Amino acid sequence: MPTAIDPKVPSFVPVPAASHFPLYNLPYGIFSPAPTASLRAGVRIGDHVLDLSVIEDCGLLAAAGLPPGTFDQPWLNRFMELPAEQRRLVRLLIHGLLREDEPTLRDDATLRARSLLPASSVTMHMPVMIRDYTDFYSSREHATNVGIMFRGKENALMPNWLHLPVGYHGRASSVVVSGTDIVRPCGQTIAPDAATPSFGPSRLLDIELEMGFLVAGSNELGTPVSVDEAWDRIFGMVVVNDWSARDIQKWEYQPLGPFNAKNFATSISPWIVTIDALMPFACEAPAQDPEPLPYLREQDRRTFDITLSIDLQAEDDEPLTICRSNFKHLYWTMAQQLAHHTCTGCNLGTGDLLASGTISGPDKGSYGSLLEITWRGTEPVTLPGGGIRKFLADGDRVTMSGVCEKDGLHLGFGEVTGRILPAHKDLQ
Ligand code: CA
């Protein structure tokens, strides 16, 4: 049994050249093969989904010693809480099963028909039961841009920003899977020249290009996770669109931070790409000055080179790419976020989602929110069909994606997409 996966090994399942899902990727998700069928776990390969509940049921993952029915579940949590070594073994077994030179599944037409389904024929669901959601603010470029807009160039970064990964506790119940429509939120806002606030649909509805990671395993309440232990607690990553109502945020955020502006929807891509699959794309995170306090100092200051993009598409129009950014720009790493989150003894558990915060790059084309792209509405975007956008209009669709490429190896996250529906009539 090999202990490492060779990225160059092909599969007997055809994989289109530009596919995000070569045999090496094997991201996990939850799907239903038909509207009335139960939810179960799968991995994506090319344009197909391998039904892991069938593969497990046939005994083909027996060498991993999984608890019975690990993949016959509506969420991945039961698999995610297994030790990292056991999860790695499962990845090896699945990879071995799909190799071009392995006949077990390749030559069994009945089992193939039961377990290997066209991706276009299945429905994707939330991959994880998200227990808790925390959102960070880890992009120096984003924090600086927002700081300049609201406080001026001299005070762009708050005094704490270079010393700790700033974050807040978000809302898990409204984290939704890609494809879910987003209803424009209503809330309190105040017009620039008004003395009192008014209530109604948000007029400054925005996006936030983020990536999130899913926590594997639990630490006991009162027991911090060190920055160097943190990597074994990270199951994998997804692309995140953290929808935000800027006008609601501006009025409500002092002194406790955002509330209604951020609690109505956060969309995630359906396939979780594991940290193991991302390792060929590891790179060094930006240097930190000043040096952080000892509990945030990493022996291996690792992040990943993931190219990110945002497409904005009005109803009956073509999509326009409005941003190209990269995950590697983030100042604070996932390990630092996890260590900081637990330094008080806060317990993180399997299925917690920790998101990066808006990922903006150094250049104008790399900003991860409309707030920055249109510079607070002063530089609107012109869409292919002639529409003008400062913020999102009803019917607009936003699609975000992430891709890794190195030495001929290419993999991706698929996409996270969502469309804006008009606000509730009763509330207007
Ligand atoms: Ca956010």
Side-chain angles (χ1 to χ4, degrees):
M1 175 108 212
T3 53
I5 289 179
D6 178 353
K8 294 194 181 68
V9 172
S11 172
F12 64 84
V13 182
V15 177
S19 174
H20 285 194
F21 309 109
L23 175 58
Y24 181 75
N25 191 348
L26 298 178
Y28 294 95
I30 291 289
F31 73 100
S32 52
T36 54
S38 62
L39 276 58
R40 73 279 309 269
V43 291
R44 177 80 182 251
I45 172 154
D47 294 333
H48 287 78
V49 175
L50 179 69
D51 186 334
L52 294 177
S53 71
V54 172
I55 295 301
E56 182 190 8
D57 194 44
C58 293
L60 293 170
L61 303 175
L66 296 173
T70 295
F71 289 121
D72 191 11
Q73 302 283 329
W75 289 297
L76 287 163
N77 297 55
R78 193 180 285 194
F79 174 59
M80 290 163 64
E81 67 194 10
L82 298 174
E85 277 314 308
Q86 200 171 6
R87 287 186 271 116
R88 255 172 225 137
L89 179 55
V90 171
R91 177 171 154 78
L92 271 175
L93 292 169
I94 297 169
H95 185 270
L97 203 57
L98 292 168
R99 291 171 65 113
E100 191 179 54
D101 55 3
E102 168 54 49
T104 309
L105 183 58
R106 185 192 67 195
D107 297 347
D108 186 336
T110 312
L111 182 57
R112 258 196 349 260
R114 278 183 64 210
S115 63
L116 211 48
L117 311 168
S120 57
S121 72
V122 309
T123 303
M124 298 307 298
H125 300 271
M126 274 297 289
V128 171
M129 192 191 71
I130 296 185
R131 282 178 13 134
D132 255 324
Y133 164 44
T134 300
D135 196 18
F136 285 92
Y137 191 59
S138 290
S139 159
R140 183 172 188 163
E141 292 80 1
H142 172 68
T144 303
N145 285 341
V146 174
I148 290 171
M149 277 185 251
F150 290 95
R151 288 184 299 277
K153 222 166 192 157
E154 303 309 309
N155 305 302
L157 282 185
M158 293 295 239
N160 61 3
W161 200 93
L162 290 169
H163 296 279
L164 58 85
V166 170
Y168 73 99
H169 295 291
R171 184 78 200 163
S173 64
S174 54
V175 180
V176 294
V177 73
S178 174
T180 307
D181 289 332
I182 308 301
V183 175
R184 179 179 296 273
C186 288
Q188 270 200 31
T189 58
I190 191 161
D193 48 358
T196 53
S198 54
F199 183 85
S202 166
R203 278 173 295 199
L204 306 184
L205 185 54
D206 200 356
I207 52 177
E208 292 190 334
L209 170 66
E210 307 194 14
M211 293 203 74
F213 68 86
L214 282 313
V215 173
S218 306
N219 57 302
E220 296 232 348
L221 185 63
T223 312
V225 179
S226 78
V227 73
D228 292 321
E229 290 166 341
W231 282 103
D232 268 349
R233 297 290 310 283
I234 302 176
F235 176 76
M237 296 176 68
V238 290
V239 184
V240 176
N241 183 354
D242 193 29
W243 307 92
S244 299
R246 301 295 177 202
D247 42 358
I248 297 173
Q249 185 176 354
K250 191 176 175 218
W251 170 234
E252 74 178 0
Y253 86 102
Q254 289 170 329
L256 288 185
F259 185 61
N260 283 335
K262 303 271 186 177
N263 74 2
F264 57 94
T266 302
S267 301
I268 66 169
S269 53
W271 294 105
I272 306 176
V273 177
T274 61
I275 294 301
D276 290 337
L278 288 169
M279 285 312 289
F281 311 100
C283 60
E284 207 171 319
Q288 293 189 309
D289 182 18
E291 187 178 32
L293 290 168
Y295 79 101
L296 290 171
R297 279 180 211 157
E298 298 160 286
Q299 280 183 13
D300 174 14
R301 202 169 141 64
R302 180 199 307 161
T303 188
F304 297 109
D305 184 349
I306 305 169
T307 303
L308 301 165
S309 62
I310 309 175
D311 282 5
L312 172 59
Q313 182 177 20
E315 233 170 348
D316 305 319
D317 197 359
E318 299 296 311
L320 174 72
T321 301
I322 56 170
C323 162
R324 285 185 201 285
S325 186
N326 196 303
F327 183 75
K328 72 180 179 186
H329 296 311
L330 291 176
Y331 189 85
W332 296 103
T333 66
M334 293 187 281
Q336 288 177 316
Q337 290 165 353
L338 200 146
H340 182 65
H341 203 311
T342 62
C343 73
T344 55
C346 173
N347 49 334
L348 293 182
T350 299
D352 284 359
L353 172 67
L354 273 61
S356 59
T358 307
I359 305 167
S360 291
D363 314 312
K364 240 178 164 341
S366 63
Y367 296 167
S369 64
L370 284 168
L371 178 71
E372 296 161 272
I373 293 167
T374 70
W375 208 256
R376 244 177 148 178
T378 59
E379 300 169 28
V381 171
T382 304
L383 298 174
I388 305 286
R389 290 291 180 279
K390 296 176 177 175
F391 291 91
L392 296 174
D394 291 346
D396 283 359
R397 173 174 291 284
V398 177
T399 304
M400 299 174 174
S401 189
V403 184
C404 303
E405 197 134 30
K406 193 181 178 186
D407 302 333
L409 179 63
H410 165 103
L411 63 80
F413 287 77
E415 62 181 34
V416 55
T417 189
R419 185 182 49 149
I420 303 301
L421 297 185
H424 255 278
K425 280 207 173 65
D426 308 352
L427 295 176
Q428 292 182 45

